[in-house]
Amino acid sequence: MTNQNTIDKLIEMRLTTMADSFRIQLDDPAMKDVPFEDHFGILVDVEYASRKNNRLKRLSHRAEFEQPDASIAAIDYRSGRKLSKELISRLAFCEYITEYRNIFITGTTGSEKTYMACAFGIEACKQYYTARYVRLPDLLLDLQDARVNGTFASVLKKYTPPILLILDEWLLLKLLEGEARNLFELVHKRRKKSSTIFYSQFREAEWHGQIYGGESTLADAIMDRISYDSYKIDIEYVDPEKDISMREVYGLDPKQAK
């Protein structure tokens, strides 16, 4: 069998990265005296790394992060915000996902909530967990339309499988009864099976009143399913009058980054 036949078969088996590596080895004089085991090991390592990287790209793409370039390592702890680097670094290892625990991120507009939430999401993808980012208003519209069209169960399945769900604009607007009922179905389905990152301009203590006017049954049921044993990140400024928005720190357009 010729080397070209081997390359062609690798390509036919969709091992194109391995084929390219094999071709490079054939053209590299320094590889002539390398033992077969080392040759083969290099080919496997290259193909393995390529597949892992491609899987990460697919997971990140499907998650539809609002800020796909967000990074835990790039979080600014010197901006005048009260942030626990120890907690954030610990959460980046994604143990909260294996524990089926949630994360609450609260803070004013411009405090970098979206950036931080997406950074956690990207870390989850690096651990090969499925993730999905969605604005709560869009999710509620999707579920309500499904109720009307009789497809609620199938549409709900779009949001229950991701191991990590990131909900933007959490309770930014007060929920109507139908919206609260739909949301309850979602959080109930995901409870003890997955993790969710909720981030909002409202403090957790205010969330109850945003759910159908604080109507006890629905509001209590939702909060009971999401708040127990959750990690809390309350982004506060040391001196609100002097510390500037993270939008200004990064020179972002005012329409970007919550």
Side-chain angles (χ1 to χ4, degrees):
M1 179 185 296
T2 66
N3 289 329
Q4 187 57 51
N5 285 337
T6 299
I7 292 173
D8 290 341
K9 288 179 179 178
L10 288 172
I11 294 173
E12 184 178 342
M13 291 186 292
R14 299 184 179 179
L15 299 173
T16 54
T17 302
M18 184 180 285
D20 290 339
S21 179
F22 182 50
R23 189 182 291 110
I24 291 172
Q25 288 190 21
L26 291 174
D27 295 337
D28 185 356
M31 297 295 294
K32 299 297 183 182
D33 297 326
V34 175
F36 169 79
E37 293 83 356
D38 293 342
H39 272 288
F40 188 67
I42 292 171
L43 294 177
V44 173
D45 287 345
V46 169
E47 183 67 31
Y48 179 80
S50 175
R51 290 186 175 225
K52 297 279 275 188
N53 288 334
N54 288 338
R55 184 182 176 190
L56 174 58
K57 289 178 181 178
R58 287 195 301 270
L59 287 170
S60 297
H61 178 73
R62 291 171 183 171
E64 299 182 333
F65 295 121
E66 176 73 12
Q67 296 189 32
D69 297 323
S71 169
I72 292 292
I75 292 176
D76 189 343
Y77 295 95
R78 301 169 298 173
S79 61
R81 298 174 299 165
K82 297 178 182 178
L83 291 175
S84 171
K85 186 174 182 179
E86 179 183 358
L87 174 60
I88 291 172
S89 298
R90 181 154 55 93
L91 292 175
F93 285 103
C94 299
E95 288 185 3
Y96 70 96
I97 294 178
T98 62
E99 299 167 347
Y100 306 124
R101 297 172 68 175
N102 300 322
I103 297 177
F104 295 172
I105 304 176
T106 58
T108 60
T109 299
S111 59
E112 208 178 34
K113 299 186 298 297
T114 299
Y115 186 93
M116 189 177 298
C118 289
F120 284 132
I122 291 167
E123 290 302 318
C125 289
K126 289 179 181 178
Q127 298 291 329
Y128 303 105
Y129 291 116
T130 55
R132 179 162 188 162
Y133 162 94
V134 64
R135 295 173 60 250
L136 181 62
D138 292 337
L139 181 148
L140 293 175
L141 284 173
D142 201 10
L143 293 180
Q144 185 56 38
D145 287 345
R147 282 283 194 194
V148 174
N149 297 327
T151 57
F152 185 79
S154 60
V155 172
L156 189 65
K157 290 180 180 178
K158 293 189 340 186
Y159 303 105
T160 51
I163 300 300
L164 177 64
L165 181 66
I166 300 175
L167 291 180
D168 188 1
E169 298 180 1
W170 172 249
L171 300 180
L172 180 63
L173 302 174
K174 290 187 176 182
L175 302 186
L176 301 175
E177 181 180 6
E179 294 173 327
R181 292 187 183 280
N182 291 340
L183 184 60
F184 169 77
E185 292 294 332
L186 176 63
V187 298
H188 180 72
K189 289 283 189 182
R190 292 182 56 79
R191 188 186 187 199
K192 299 300 182 182
K193 298 177 182 177
S194 50
S195 297
T196 305
I197 297 178
F198 305 85
Y199 61 100
S200 172
Q201 296 180 36
F202 292 99
R203 297 297 184 188
E204 181 189 351
E206 301 173 272
W207 291 2
H208 191 279
Q210 291 293 103
I211 303 171
Y212 188 36
E215 188 276 318
S216 60
T217 304
L218 278 173
D220 288 350
I222 290 173
M223 292 304 300
D224 175 67
R225 283 161 174 75
I226 69 173
S227 63
Y228 176 73
D229 215 19
S230 295
Y231 289 99
K232 317 294 172 65
I233 301 176
D234 297 322
I235 304 175
E236 297 181 342
Y237 286 98
V238 177
D239 187 342
E241 295 184 359
K242 294 182 180 180
D243 295 317
I244 62 176
S245 163
M246 294 308 295
R247 294 176 180 176
E248 297 177 74
V249 171
Y250 292 111
L252 296 174
D253 184 282
K255 297 179 181 179
Q256 297 179 354
K258 300 175 183 64

